[in-house]
């Protein structure tokens, strides 16, 4: 097999559509893999699409056709040679021509295409063109042909196999990319090549590992068929089989007795083993090879009905896991810019907040090999949605065959991944059909149910029988129940944020909450890098273009007002809404964790952003952690103390997500904000590994009475919980409870903070001073007299006093009486 990569020397031009004059007729150098927007940006022909109102200015690209052209040198095909033109991914509706002759057409960015071009390839100079039609125009045509079906957001993304959020989402820009988005190459081969290679990795009852490699062989058909030999090696074991002529499949089984198990983060190590598969002629001359890294573990989801309903408990190597996770969206709207390093930074942020699972959400893509490499290495479990989200999908052609083809390709591609925990049929489509008024407009037309209940589970069962398949998120494994039933399977909690206050998280005890979240703006440095409104306010035009949620600002305000003062000045508003985002999500996480094992997982909406935007993300589009990220690190900590309501009143809940028992005496101090002790007590907690206990706070001295100037603190060796007696707006805080001093240290600056009165959720918003500055901790609550030292890492030379200024050193208290900052 000889591979000739075709990445250098491409040009792109807009060929039809409402193309502005300065772009029309221009052939600009194109990056492959890449997209037309990025090429125009590099050529200086368009503004950065993320800047201010550029997204709206670029709406003309929705209806533009593009042509990519490449001139390359090649050798003519030999008589016994097969030459394939292999595209790993084209975005999306394309016609491919070689030397003016048609090669093929494509209409699905979620799969690869391989064309036999032996007859068309010339010795010497060749010309390859890939012409992309407007994806939106195509989707509208399919909609016309099949009949419209309900979908969220304006464009019919449900009529084309292209990342749904390409067409805009409630956190994403409406910038419809087009281009050769994955590698492209010529493959020259003789006799045979490896097609699909599917290693099914399991652990036997005796603890030994097993790899069953299922391989498909494609024969060149240029010479008479021969016998072939396939071999596979892993962990020093080898298996070899002879494939008779006319046969095109083989199964190799490798048993590894002394295998080390792969575990998710927080449960053990992640040993990975190299698997090599070789295809050769009978005389041993190699033809093709494939390699994978595998990890030995079992992963399943327990949905055995119990006295409450139907659980949804992820089990790894037989151990039930409380899933601490976040939903994952494409990490940059322009997918081809996402490097492996960027993915590693993002997954490390998830790990840093003690997460053990990312859910790759169905409005995005089947994630890349780089993403899975990083997750395999770090023990980050992955829940992979099939790409269907928030819409009714037709089950007819031209979509049906594309969906089957992409599912087969991606299930086979990802089957060997240690981190891949489960496949899921769709995002919110079962719920959409049940509750969102789809039935009438559908008028009996298909909406995708057949994909979720027949096609996709059949493909998974056939190609990846080792993995659990969930019909949707949310869904009830017990089919009689509503898909979002709290007692059955997975649930999405969106009343909070859309309609109700976050304290209502406590009204439901779901078996598994796979989406819940609350919005907040991006960090200051990210916001002001991309948005230059003057004045900058929540309703200034560019700020609003980067707030995509339906009535987003209204929901931010209604969510804030019951808890914290709603500030006037923009700087205060920014801090208040970020803080409230963190508070809301922490409130949910602590509630869900407190109900383990009845509730078996919390997957926050959402870890990351794909551009600078006000959104539910914990990490913003420029990779900066928002206050929510620090809050998640507290709420997902291996050991957590939290005060939660239980049948007879408030209880102290101790959550022990470690492998060692947690036994100690927790001290309880009820004290005034000025530090005066009101009442003290003690509680013995004794929590088995991976368990939760709660102890009623029965002593009336701890909780009774009016207490607007008091806080109850429960302190253990590793962690503490603070319980306030009212919402912040009703508390008699000292609005200015901190004294502080910053000094230069090796890595940047240390900010020493002292509380003269109880100070809640202290933060150093370091990025307000220098864009590269990042603080090590945030949302620290201090009792009167306590001190805390924050470390700010930065390469910038600062006046240390800036780090203790009123817009930088903040706490919840300073939002009272108009706030400390002036914005
Ligand atoms: C759910 C998700 C996303 C959306 C989020 C916030 O519906 O599945 O579609 O971005 O809520 O509205």
């Amino acid at each position: 097999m000889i591979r000739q990569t075709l990445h250098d020397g491409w040009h792109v031009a807009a060929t039809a559509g409402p193309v502005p004059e300065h772009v029309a007729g221009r052939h600009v150098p194109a990056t492959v893999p890449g997209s037309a927007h990025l090429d125009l940006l590099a050529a200086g022909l368009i503004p950065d699409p993320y800047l201010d109102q550029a997204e709206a200015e670029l709406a003309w690209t929705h209806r533009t056709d593009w042509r990519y052209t490449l001139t390359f040198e090649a050798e003519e095909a030999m008589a016994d040679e097969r030459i394939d033109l292999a595209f790993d991914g084209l975005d999306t509706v394309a016609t491919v021509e070689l030397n003016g002759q048609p090669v093929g057409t494509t209409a699905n960015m979620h799969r690869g295409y391989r064309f036999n071009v032996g007859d068309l390839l010339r010795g010497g100079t060749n010309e390859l063109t890939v012409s992309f039609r407007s994806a939106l125009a195509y989707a509208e045509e399919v909609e016309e042909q099949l009949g419209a079906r309900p979908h969220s957001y304006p464009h019919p993304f449900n009529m084309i196999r292209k990342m749904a959020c390409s067409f805009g989402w409630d956190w994403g820009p409406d910038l419809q990319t087009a281009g050769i988005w994955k590698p492209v190459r010529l493959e020259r081969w003789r006799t045979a090549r490896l097609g699909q290679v599917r290693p099914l990795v399991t652990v036997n009852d005796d603890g030994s590992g097993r790899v069953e490699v299922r391989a498909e062989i494609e024969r060149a058909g240029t010479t008479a068929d021969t016998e072939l030999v396939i071999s596979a090696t892993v962990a020093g074991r080898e298996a070899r089989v002879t494939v008779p002529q006319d046969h095109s499949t083989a199964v190799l089984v490798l048993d590894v007795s002394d295998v080390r198990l792969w575990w998710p983060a927080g449960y053990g190590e992640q040993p990975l083993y190299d698997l090599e598969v070789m295809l050769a002629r009978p005389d041993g001359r190699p033809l093709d090879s494939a390699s994978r890294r595998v990890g030995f573990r079992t992963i399943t989801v327990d949905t055995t009905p119990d006295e409450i309903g139907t659980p949804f408990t992820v089990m790894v190597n037989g151990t039930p896991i409380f899933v601490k996770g976040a939903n994952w969206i494409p990490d940059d709207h322009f997918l081809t810019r996402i490097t492996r390093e960027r993915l590693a930074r993002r997954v490390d942020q998830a790990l840093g907040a003690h997460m053990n699972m990312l859910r790759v959400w169905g409005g995005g893509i089947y994630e890349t090999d780089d993403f899975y490499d990083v997750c395999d290495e770090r023990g980050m479990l992955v829940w992979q949605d099939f790409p269907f989200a928030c819409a009714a999908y037709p089950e007819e052609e031209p979509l049906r065959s594309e969906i089957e083809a992409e599912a087969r390709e991606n299930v086979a591609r990802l089957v060997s991944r240690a981190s891949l925990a489960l496949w899921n049929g769709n995002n919110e489509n079962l719920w959409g059909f049940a509750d969102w008024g789809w039935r009438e407009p559908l008028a009996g037309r298909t909406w995708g149910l057949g994909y979720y209940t027949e096609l996709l589970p059949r493909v998974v069962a056939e190609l990846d029988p080792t993995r659990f398949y969930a019909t949707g998120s949310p869904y009830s494994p017990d089919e009689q129940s509503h898909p979002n039933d709290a007692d059955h399977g997975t649930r999405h909690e969106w009343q909070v944020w859309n309609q109700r206050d976050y304290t209502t998280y406590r009204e439901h005890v779901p078996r598994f909450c796979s989406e819940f979240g609350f919005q907040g703006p991006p960090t200051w440095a990210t916001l002001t890098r991309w948005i230059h409104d003057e004045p900058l306010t929540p309703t200034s035009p560019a700020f609003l273009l980067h707030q995509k949620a339906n009535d987003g600002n209204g929901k931010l305000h209604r969510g804030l007002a019951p808890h914290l003062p709603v500030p006037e000045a923009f700087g205060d508003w920014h801090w208040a809404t970020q803080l409230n985002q963190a508070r809301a999500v922490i409130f949910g996480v602590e509630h869900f964790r407190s109900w383990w094992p009845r509730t078996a997982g919390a997957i926050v909406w959402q870890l990351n952003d794909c551009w600078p935007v006000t959104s539910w993300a914990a990490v913003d589009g420029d990779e900066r952690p928002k206050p929510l990220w620090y809050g998640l690190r507290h709420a997902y900590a291996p050991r957590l103390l939290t005060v939660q309501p239980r049948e007879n009143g408030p209880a102290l809940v101790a959550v022990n997500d470690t492998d060692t028992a947690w036994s100690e005496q927790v001290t309880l101090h009820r004290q005034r904000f000025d530090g005066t002790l009101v009442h003290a007590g003690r509680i013995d907690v004794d929590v088995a590994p991976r368990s939760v206990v709660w102890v009623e706070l029965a002593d009336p001295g701890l909780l009774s009475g009016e207490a607007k100037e008091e806080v109850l603190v429960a302190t253990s060796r590793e962690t503490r919980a603070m319980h306030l007696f009212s919402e912040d707006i009703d508390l008699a805080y000292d609005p200015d409870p901190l004294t502080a001093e910053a000094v230069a240290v090796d890595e940047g600056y240390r900010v020493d903070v002292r509380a003269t009165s109880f100070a809640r959720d202290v933060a150093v918003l370091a990025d307000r001073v220098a864009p590269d500055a990042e603080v090590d901790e945030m949302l620290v609550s201090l009792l009167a007299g306590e001190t805390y030292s924050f470390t700010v890492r930065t390469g910038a030379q600062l006046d240390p006093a800036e780090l203790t200024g009123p817009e930088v050193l903040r706490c919840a208290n300073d939002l009272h009486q108009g706030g400390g900052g002036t914005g």
Side-chain angles (χ1 to χ4, degrees):
M1 168 80 63
I2 299 168
R3 294 186 171 85
Q4 179 182 348
T5 302
L6 301 176
H7 290 176
D8 298 331
W10 288 89
H11 283 77
V12 66
T15 50
V19 184
E21 240 167 70
H22 71 284
V23 179
R26 298 284 293 269
H27 289 251
V28 304
T31 300
V32 170
S35 74
H37 283 87
L38 296 180
D39 297 329
L40 296 191
L41 176 64
L45 295 177
I46 58 168
D48 190 307
Y50 295 173
L51 202 60
D52 293 310
Q53 301 188 66
E55 180 205 1
E57 290 161 32
L58 291 169
W60 59 269
T61 59
H62 296 175
R63 300 201 175 270
T64 300
D65 296 348
W66 308 91
R67 180 168 301 142
Y68 278 74
T69 49
L70 172 72
T71 306
F72 68 95
E73 303 294 316
E75 280 168 34
E76 213 175 352
M78 312 278 251
D80 62 343
E81 205 180 25
R82 261 284 296 270
I83 303 188
D84 292 346
L85 175 60
F87 291 97
D88 290 343
L90 290 170
D91 174 18
T92 292
V93 185
T95 303
V96 181
E97 288 170 300
L98 183 58
N99 299 321
Q101 301 297 312
V103 168
T105 58
T106 78
N108 187 348
M109 80 177 279
H110 299 302
R111 56 173 288 213
Y113 292 88
R114 172 179 289 274
F115 303 108
N116 179 346
V117 295
D119 292 344
L120 299 177
L121 193 73
R122 290 186 195 139
T125 304
N126 289 269
E127 196 178 48
L128 179 60
T129 66
V130 185
S131 306
F132 292 95
R133 285 194 55 197
S134 151
L136 179 59
Y138 173 88
E140 287 170 348
E141 271 172 34
V142 176
E143 183 180 54
E144 184 74 33
Q145 180 194 328
L146 298 182
R149 296 169 214 213
H151 52 84
S152 304
Y153 313 112
H155 300 306
F157 62 82
N158 50 341
M159 296 290 163
I160 181 170
R161 297 312 293 155
K162 173 170 167 62
M163 173 171 96
C165 67
S166 295
F167 297 88
W169 213 260
D170 60 1
W171 36 257
D174 185 5
L175 292 165
Q176 299 149 30
T177 50
I180 301 168
W181 82 286
K182 287 196 172 186
V184 47
R185 67 199 159 271
L186 283 179
E187 291 189 354
R188 313 178 75 107
W189 51 285
R190 293 180 164 83
T191 311
R193 67 172 198 99
L194 285 170
Q196 211 176 65
V197 174
R198 280 187 297 122
L200 306 180
V201 184
T202 49
V203 180
N204 299 317
D205 287 343
D206 65 1
S208 62
R210 162 172 287 226
V211 184
E212 190 177 303
V213 181
R214 299 184 163 262
E216 283 178 11
I217 294 148
E218 189 184 359
R219 302 204 178 243
T222 45
T223 49
D225 250 0
T226 63
E227 240 177 43
L228 298 168
V229 176
I230 292 202
S231 60
T233 56
V234 71
R237 313 295 192 281
E238 181 173 25
R240 174 183 295 268
V241 297
T242 300
V243 187
Q245 60 185 60
D246 300 330
H247 281 62
S248 57
T249 58
V251 180
L252 298 108
V253 179
L254 296 125
D255 281 303
V256 186
S257 50
D258 46 357
V259 76
R260 288 170 58 224
L261 292 182
W262 184 98
W263 287 96
Y267 287 79
E269 295 184 348
Q270 291 81 41
L272 294 170
Y273 294 81
D274 289 323
L275 168 73
E276 304 290 340
V277 180
M278 286 283 293
L279 177 69
R281 293 190 174 85
D283 63 8
R285 275 185 297 155
L287 290 167
D288 200 0
S289 65
S291 46
R292 304 279 190 276
R293 273 187 317 169
V294 300
F296 293 96
R297 82 285 171 278
T298 60
I299 307 185
T300 182
V301 179
D302 182 9
T303 57
T304 315
D306 58 18
E307 65 287 356
I308 299 159
T310 321
F312 190 88
T313 306
V314 175
M315 313 275 295
V316 182
N317 301 324
T319 301
I321 306 273
F322 182 88
V323 168
K324 299 187 289 194
N327 283 277
W328 173 271
I329 64 166
D331 205 50
D332 185 340
H333 185 82
F334 294 106
L335 300 171
T336 58
R337 290 198 292 210
I338 304 171
T339 60
R340 186 191 179 98
E341 292 69 32
R342 184 176 169 109
L343 291 169
R345 289 193 296 274
R346 203 66 54 257
V347 174
D348 283 340
Q349 282 170 320
L351 283 174
H354 306 292
M355 294 183 192
N356 55 28
M357 183 183 272
L358 294 172
R359 169 177 171 233
V360 180
W361 165 78
I365 57 171
Y366 298 93
E367 264 303 336
T368 59
D369 292 334
D370 281 342
F371 175 85
Y372 276 96
D373 281 344
V374 168
C375 292
D376 285 349
E377 287 162 11
R378 286 157 169 78
M380 182 59 72
L381 295 169
V382 183
W383 154 332
Q384 176 72 54
D385 280 10
F386 284 99
F388 300 89
C390 304
Y393 285 81
E395 292 171 46
E396 294 77 38
E397 298 297 351
L399 292 168
R400 188 179 189 85
S401 328
E402 286 301 335
I403 286 164
E404 171 141 17
E406 73 178 60
R408 299 187 78 85
E409 178 175 321
N410 284 286
V411 171
R413 177 172 68 90
L414 298 176
V415 67
S416 60
R417 295 302 186 165
S419 56
L420 176 56
L422 66 143
W423 283 102
N424 173 53
N426 68 82
N427 177 72
E428 296 189 343
N429 295 347
L430 305 174
W431 191 14
F433 184 76
D435 278 2
W436 299 355
W438 288 4
R439 283 172 218 235
E440 203 189 302
L442 276 174
R445 286 197 288 269
T446 58
W447 56 278
L449 184 65
Y451 296 142
Y452 317 134
T453 58
E454 290 161 34
L455 182 104
L456 298 173
R458 170 164 55 75
V459 169
V460 173
E462 179 194 329
L463 300 179
D464 186 5
T466 70
R467 268 192 190 80
F468 185 84
Y469 172 83
T471 317
S473 186
Y475 92 121
S476 291
D478 146 44
E479 279 162 23
Q480 308 324 311
S481 307
H482 186 278
N484 210 32
D485 191 321
D487 289 337
H488 299 274
T490 51
R491 177 177 162 87
H492 290 190
E493 176 49 76
W494 281 116
Q495 287 204 316
V496 173
W497 170 247
N498 284 320
Q499 291 111 24
R500 305 190 62 206
D501 188 65
Y502 67 72
T503 51
T504 61
Y505 277 133
R506 287 180 177 165
E507 289 179 10
H508 300 279
V509 181
R511 305 313 303 268
F512 192 111
C513 194
S514 42
E515 278 188 19
F516 64 105
F518 208 90
Q519 269 203 350
T523 61
W524 190 263
T526 300
L527 188 65
T528 52
R529 176 176 168 216
W530 297 104
I531 297 175
H532 303 93
D533 290 334
E534 281 195 28
L536 178 57
T537 76
T539 53
S540 57
F543 186 90
L544 269 189
L545 194 67
H546 294 244
Q547 159 60 289
K548 301 288 189 186
N550 182 18
D551 188 26
N553 284 347
K555 289 171 187 173
L556 284 176
H557 288 141
R558 289 193 293 281
L560 182 62
H563 304 283
L564 292 159
V566 181
E568 288 289 323
F570 184 69
D572 295 334
W573 180 89
H574 177 260
W575 161 237
T577 47
Q578 284 202 326
L579 174 61
N580 201 51
Q581 176 189 27
R583 290 268 191 90
V585 176
I586 292 168
F587 194 95
V589 169
E590 293 191 355
H591 162 65
F592 296 133
R593 288 190 74 188
S594 81
W595 285 104
W596 166 254
R598 175 167 167 174
T599 301
I603 304 189
V604 174
W605 185 267
Q606 69 210 66
L607 177 70
N608 55 339
D609 268 335
C610 62
W611 76 316
V613 66
T614 296
S615 87
W616 299 257
V619 177
D620 73 25
D622 278 354
E623 312 190 43
R624 293 189 181 91
K626 292 158 70 169
L628 170 59
W629 179 82
Y630 297 88
L632 283 172
R633 191 170 64 179
H634 301 160
Y636 277 153
R639 285 183 175 167
L640 173 76
L641 286 177
T642 172
V643 176
Q644 298 285 328
R646 287 297 181 264
E647 228 175 321
N648 300 318
L652 180 71
V653 182
V655 182
N656 180 17
D657 192 17
T658 76
D659 285 324
T660 47
W662 180 13
S663 298
E664 71 173 292
Q665 204 166 54
V666 172
T667 59
L668 295 157
H669 285 156
R670 176 174 175 174
Q671 63 179 65
R672 294 176 58 82
F673 290 164
D674 66 9
T676 320
L677 185 67
V678 177
H679 192 85
R682 276 192 261 274
I683 283 183
D684 287 321
V685 298
D686 201 350
V687 202
R690 309 285 177 194
S691 303
V692 174
V693 298
W694 65 71
V695 183
E696 272 174 40
L697 294 169
D699 174 354
L702 289 174
L703 285 168
S704 62
E706 275 276 292
K708 292 191 186 291
E709 282 174 77
E710 295 175 17
V711 54
L712 176 70
V713 195
T715 310
S716 72
R717 277 191 298 272
E718 266 173 60
T719 180
R720 67 182 182 184
M722 293 202 185
H723 174 76
L724 278 306
F725 295 77
S726 303
E727 292 297 342
D728 286 50
I729 34 169
D730 298 321
L731 292 172
Y733 281 138
D734 177 343
D736 189 14
L738 301 173
T739 60
E741 194 190 2
V743 291
V745 292
D746 280 352
E747 60 269 58
Y749 297 86
R750 197 184 70 228
V751 184
D752 299 321
V753 178
R754 182 164 191 281
T756 51
S757 174
F758 174 62
R760 194 167 181 200
D761 292 330
V762 182
V764 177
L765 302 178
D767 65 284
R768 289 200 62 134
V769 181
D772 78 327
E774 191 173 324
V775 68
D776 61 338
E777 180 57 297
M778 210 183 266
L779 308 185
V780 179
S781 293
L782 299 176
L783 302 171
E786 286 185 335
T787 58
Y788 191 87
S789 293
F790 297 88
T791 302
V792 174
R793 290 164 55 119
T794 175
Q797 287 298 318
L798 305 176
D799 170 2
E802 288 185 80
L803 288 167
T804 58
E807 285 158 9
V808 182
L809 176 62
R810 308 235 41 168
C811 58
N813 307 42
D814 68 35
L815 292 166
H816 282 61
Q817 296 176 14
T822 49

